[in-house]
């Protein structure tokens, strides 16, 4: 039988997932006949239906119910109102199934029809007969009008349709129940556009990048106890059902804000690599999977939306050196001026700009992120260090000195704000809080930084302002930065961005009481 491959990454992923799930076949070469391909598809489709929906028998209305325990619907799968398998009764689509509540019954029906059709195949030609790709199991398709009276479903071979459906069903892919617009949620998954085969010059045997990705992702999932995923919270009203933890992300170190993107998946794999560093070949295999994703299209697919992402090598470097999942949580502790609520559209745009910066590390993404005036948590320091050293080619010592300069400003703003607050308290005046005063001072300083027309003017204006505010000088470590700014090694624009970025960075010493709290942003349930 000739080498098996697929033009589109969606059915290709299904084929790789089938190999990983199979007990009989593990690599493409194990499939020696067309009957083997048919058997692989049938077995995997049946397995996918066993993990289609989750349900709980627990009653949230009972006083004794403190959590909901879920399991997969292994028998009598029949989603929809007619059977009572609906959210209002504790039944939910598993987050890895790329369909909607309204189309779930059709997806199950089409999967069963594919199984029946495959089992009736008598020759290899039957496996390649045209088959309708319906959106209920092929979410990236839509009906087309090719000169006919009405729109029709696009067609593919039965083989490709089967593995397309397997991709839609398989649990071995990154998935989350994601917010795609305010108040609206849908299952979303990630499909990397990796080749099925790869032969390097120094390799005697081919490697299988897509299969390797699925295999490592499965191992990541298995590293977390199943009962963690299958526990759900009881709603405050003690009436409605809530989805289990599985829907917040079906892999370790998934972000807490129900977002699925290149950053979240790369960060999770990098943490998986660190966890396996002592395993030798195991760690090397994970690192190879991580490197294989670099520069490749990553498709974020849902029944409601689809988009493509890529990331630069800077993200892998950052994720291997630092705890990016921690950074993703810390972004919610950024204080964006004029924004109070977590669901404010401006905060959502700020978080998106932050994600784009981590993904690509370009000057454009950095400028877009800096366009939002805010004060950042101390955890952001590695992001700025890496950006200025890697993207701007500035020396580590210069960047460290610039950080000391910026922190001098942030600390001065805090001391001045705190002094003003204490004076108001003693005088019985209803003034601003420490954080509000500090935000005003930082805004004024930032305006002076950005309005400077030359580097000497930049340093003199800031020095005079800080001297008047606190009567103290900069941290000694800031000296090198001030000297270098007056040379050709640093441009005015670079100096302005260095000061602004590190000035916005809160130090641990000046963190407010409110910031010090362990903020957890829980995703809302639809």
């Amino acid at each position: 039988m000739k080498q098996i491959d697929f033009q589109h990454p969606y059915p290709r992923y299904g084929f790789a997932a089938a190999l990983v799930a199979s007990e009989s076949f593990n690599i493409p070469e194990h499939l020696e006949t067309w009957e083997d391909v048919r058997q692989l598809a049938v077995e995997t489709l049946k397995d996918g239906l066993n993990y289609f929906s989750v349900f709980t028998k627990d009653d949230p209305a009972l006083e004794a119910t403190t959590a909901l325990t879920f399991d997969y619907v292994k028998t009598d799968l029949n989603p929809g109102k007619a059977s009572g398998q609906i959210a209002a009764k504790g039944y939910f689509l598993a987050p890895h199934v790329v369909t909607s509540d309204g189309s779930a019954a059709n997806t199950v029906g089409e999967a069963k029809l594919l199984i029946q059709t495959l089992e009736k195949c008598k020759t290899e030609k039957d496996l390649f007969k045209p088959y309708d790709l319906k959106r209920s199991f092929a979410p990236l398709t839509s009906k087309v009008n090719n000169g006919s009276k009405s729109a029709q479903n696009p067609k593919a071979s039965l083989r490709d349709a089967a593995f397309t459906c397997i991709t839609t069903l398989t649990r071995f892919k990154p998935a989350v129940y994601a917010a795609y617009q305010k108040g609206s949620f849908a299952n979303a998954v990630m499909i990397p556009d990796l080749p099925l085969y790869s032969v390097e010059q120094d390799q005697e045997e081919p490697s299988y990048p897509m299969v390797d990705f699925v295999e490592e992702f499965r191992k990541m999932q298995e590293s977390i106890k199943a009962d963690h995923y299958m526990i759900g919270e009881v709603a405050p009203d003690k009436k409605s059902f809530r989805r289990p933890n599985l829907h917040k992300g079906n892999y370790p170190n998934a972000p807490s804000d129900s977002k699925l993107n290149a950053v979240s998946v790369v960060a999770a794999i990098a943490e998986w690599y660190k966890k396996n560093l002592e395993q030798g070949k195991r760690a090397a295999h994970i690192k190879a999977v991580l490197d294989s994703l670099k520069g490749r299209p990553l498709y974020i697919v849902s029944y409601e939306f689809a988009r493509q992402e890529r990331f630069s090598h800077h993200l892998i470097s950052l994720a291997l050196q630092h705890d990016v999942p921690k950074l993703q949580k810390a972004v919610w502790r950024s204080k964006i001026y004029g924004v109070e609520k977590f669901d404010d559209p401006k905060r959502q745009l700020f978080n998106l700009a932050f994600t784009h910066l981590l993904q690509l590390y370009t000057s454009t993404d950095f400028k877009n992120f800096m366009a939002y005036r805010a004060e950042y948590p101390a955890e952001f320091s590695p992001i700025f260090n890496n950006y200025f050293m890697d993207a701007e080619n500035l020396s580590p010592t210069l960047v460290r000195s610039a950080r000391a300069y910026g922190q001098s400003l942030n600390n001065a703003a805090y001391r001045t704000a705190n002094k003003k607050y204490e004076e108001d308290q003693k005088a019985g005046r209803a003034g601003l809080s420490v954080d509000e005063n500090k935000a005003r001072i930082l805004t004024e300083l930032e305006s002076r930084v950005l309005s400077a027309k030359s580097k000497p003017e930049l340093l003199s204006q800031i020095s005079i302002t800080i001297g008047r505010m606190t009567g103290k000088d900069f941290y000694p470590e800031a000296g090198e930065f001030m000297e270098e700014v007056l040379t050709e090694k640093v441009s005015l624009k670079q100096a302005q961005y260095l000061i602004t970025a590190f000035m916005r960075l809160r130090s641990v010493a000046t963190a407010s009481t409110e910031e010090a709290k362990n903020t957890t942003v829980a995703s809302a349930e639809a």
Side-chain angles (χ1 to χ4, degrees):
M1 191 174 70
K2 67 178 182 179
Q3 190 180 67
I4 301 173
D5 208 347
F6 300 81
Q7 288 187 330
H8 198 279
Y10 201 84
R12 193 188 311 144
Y13 193 96
F15 181 65
L19 290 171
V20 171
S22 174
E23 295 181 0
S24 305
F25 313 103
N26 300 122
I27 60 174
E29 282 76 6
H30 287 171
L31 300 162
E32 298 179 354
T33 66
W34 70 269
E35 288 97 339
D36 289 342
V37 177
R38 179 185 63 179
Q39 178 188 339
L40 180 67
V42 169
E43 288 178 352
T44 315
L45 284 168
K46 289 179 178 179
D47 182 67
L49 291 175
N50 286 332
Y51 297 89
F52 190 90
S53 295
V54 297
F55 77 105
T56 180
K57 293 181 179 179
D58 296 329
D59 185 351
L62 296 178
E63 191 66 32
T65 304
T66 57
L68 304 175
T69 302
F70 285 81
D71 199 357
Y72 287 102
V73 181
K74 294 291 182 75
T75 58
D76 302 321
L77 175 65
N78 186 19
K81 292 182 179 179
S83 65
Q85 294 183 10
I86 56 176
K89 294 187 177 182
Y91 286 79
F92 300 101
L93 284 174
H96 56 260
V97 180
V98 193
T99 188
S100 65
D101 289 334
S103 295
N106 290 336
T107 304
V108 172
E110 290 298 332
K112 289 180 177 179
L113 181 60
L114 277 164
I115 293 170
Q116 293 171 8
T117 308
L118 285 165
E119 289 177 335
K120 291 178 182 178
C121 287
K122 295 182 178 179
T123 67
E124 185 173 359
K125 287 184 178 179
D126 292 337
L127 200 59
F128 288 90
K129 284 183 177 179
Y131 195 92
D132 281 3
L133 288 177
K134 297 180 181 179
R135 193 160 181 266
S136 59
F137 72 90
L140 292 177
T141 64
S142 60
K143 289 186 176 183
V144 293
N145 191 322
N146 291 322
S148 57
K149 291 183 179 180
S150 59
Q152 297 178 329
N153 292 310
K155 294 183 182 295
S157 68
L158 172 60
R159 183 203 71 166
D160 285 22
F163 287 108
T164 293
C165 188
I166 288 170
T167 300
T168 295
L169 298 180
T170 182
R171 63 193 184 280
F172 302 136
K173 58 182 182 288
V176 68
Y177 185 61
Y180 63 94
Q181 60 187 36
K182 191 171 183 179
S184 298
F185 291 75
N187 289 352
V189 305
M190 176 177 286
I191 306 296
D193 189 356
L194 294 171
L196 197 55
Y197 306 91
S198 177
V199 181
E200 302 295 335
Q201 289 184 349
D202 57 344
Q203 289 180 326
E204 294 183 5
E205 299 292 333
S207 60
Y208 310 97
M210 187 72 97
V211 177
D212 290 343
F213 175 87
V214 180
E215 180 185 355
E216 282 305 333
F217 186 77
R218 180 182 182 176
K219 284 183 167 56
M220 284 172 59
Q221 289 180 310
E222 292 172 346
S223 69
I224 293 185
K225 292 181 179 179
D227 55 0
H228 165 78
Y229 287 125
M230 305 307 279
I231 297 295
E233 297 176 353
V234 175
D237 62 10
K238 296 288 286 184
K239 295 179 182 178
S240 57
F241 290 88
R242 281 190 169 179
R243 289 167 174 79
N245 292 328
L246 181 70
H247 289 71
K248 297 176 183 178
N250 67 341
Y251 56 97
N253 288 300
S256 59
D257 58 357
S258 297
K259 292 290 192 298
L260 182 67
N261 50 49
V263 175
S264 63
V265 174
V266 169
I269 298 174
E271 292 303 310
W272 177 239
Y273 167 76
K274 295 172 195 175
K275 188 176 180 180
N276 287 272
L277 265 178
E278 297 180 358
Q279 300 301 316
K281 288 185 178 180
R282 167 96 259 118
H285 190 263
I286 299 169
K287 181 63 164 54
V289 168
L290 195 57
D291 289 336
S292 72
L293 296 172
K294 183 173 59 183
R296 305 291 305 192
L298 305 174
Y299 296 96
I300 312 299
V301 183
S302 168
Y303 195 79
E304 304 296 339
F305 64 88
R307 69 177 187 271
Q308 183 186 132
E309 295 185 357
R310 293 175 188 262
F311 65 90
S312 74
H313 68 280
H314 296 291
L315 175 58
I316 294 180
S317 176
L318 183 72
L320 291 176
Q321 294 175 29
H322 304 284
D323 190 341
V324 172
K326 185 178 179 180
L327 295 178
Q328 290 180 293
K329 292 179 182 178
V331 71
W332 289 96
R333 290 191 283 110
S334 297
K335 293 185 178 180
I336 309 166
Y337 299 154
V339 174
E340 299 294 333
K341 297 180 179 179
F342 279 128
D343 61 351
D344 189 303
K346 190 173 181 180
R347 176 171 285 280
Q348 305 299 323
L349 292 172
F350 171 82
N351 288 3
L352 183 62
F354 172 77
T355 299
H356 286 169
L357 173 61
L358 295 187
Q359 255 180 256
L360 301 171
Y361 254 47
T362 66
S363 58
T364 299
D365 291 302
F366 180 77
K367 290 174 184 176
N368 288 342
F369 176 68
M370 295 294 290
Y372 297 90
R373 285 192 166 180
E375 197 178 2
Y376 314 127
E379 290 92 333
F380 277 22
S381 183
I383 299 173
F384 296 135
N385 290 342
N386 282 28
Y387 173 77
F388 287 118
M389 288 188 287
D390 295 342
E392 297 290 340
N393 295 315
L394 299 175
S395 71
T397 54
L398 173 62
V399 173
R400 281 196 296 270
S401 183
R403 187 186 190 286
Y405 187 95
Q407 289 294 276
S408 297
L409 300 182
N410 188 282
N411 189 265
Y414 171 76
R415 290 177 179 276
T416 305
N418 192 54
K419 182 180 179 181
K420 179 68 170 61
Y421 176 76
E422 290 176 348
E423 290 173 352
D424 288 341
Q425 289 291 97
K426 288 180 180 179
R429 295 190 295 264
L432 300 175
S433 67
V434 175
D435 285 346
E436 289 169 334
N437 272 319
K438 185 182 179 185
R440 283 192 173 190
I441 296 167
L442 287 175
T443 300
E444 179 187 346
L445 285 171
E446 194 169 312
S447 296
R448 291 180 182 275
V449 170
L450 299 178
S451 64
K453 303 300 182 184
S454 67
K455 290 186 285 186
E457 180 186 343
L458 170 66
L459 295 180
S460 63
Q461 279 192 5
I462 299 303
S463 295
I464 292 171
T465 302
I466 293 300
R468 288 174 178 171
M469 285 170 53
T470 64
K472 295 184 178 182
D473 207 345
F474 291 89
Y475 295 151
E477 297 86 352
E480 180 180 344
F481 171 71
M482 291 186 280
E483 292 176 3
E484 294 293 332
V485 165
L486 297 177
T487 70
E488 296 302 316
K489 294 180 181 180
V490 184
S491 69
L492 173 61
K493 187 59 67 177
Q494 285 177 321
Q496 289 171 322
Y497 275 128
L498 280 162
I499 294 172
T500 303
F502 288 122
M503 178 175 66
R504 290 178 177 181
L505 198 65
R506 289 194 295 272
S507 63
V508 177
T510 63
S512 68
T513 303
E514 181 181 354
E515 175 204 339
K517 295 177 182 177
N518 182 19
T519 305
T520 301
V521 182
S523 60
E525 289 286 354

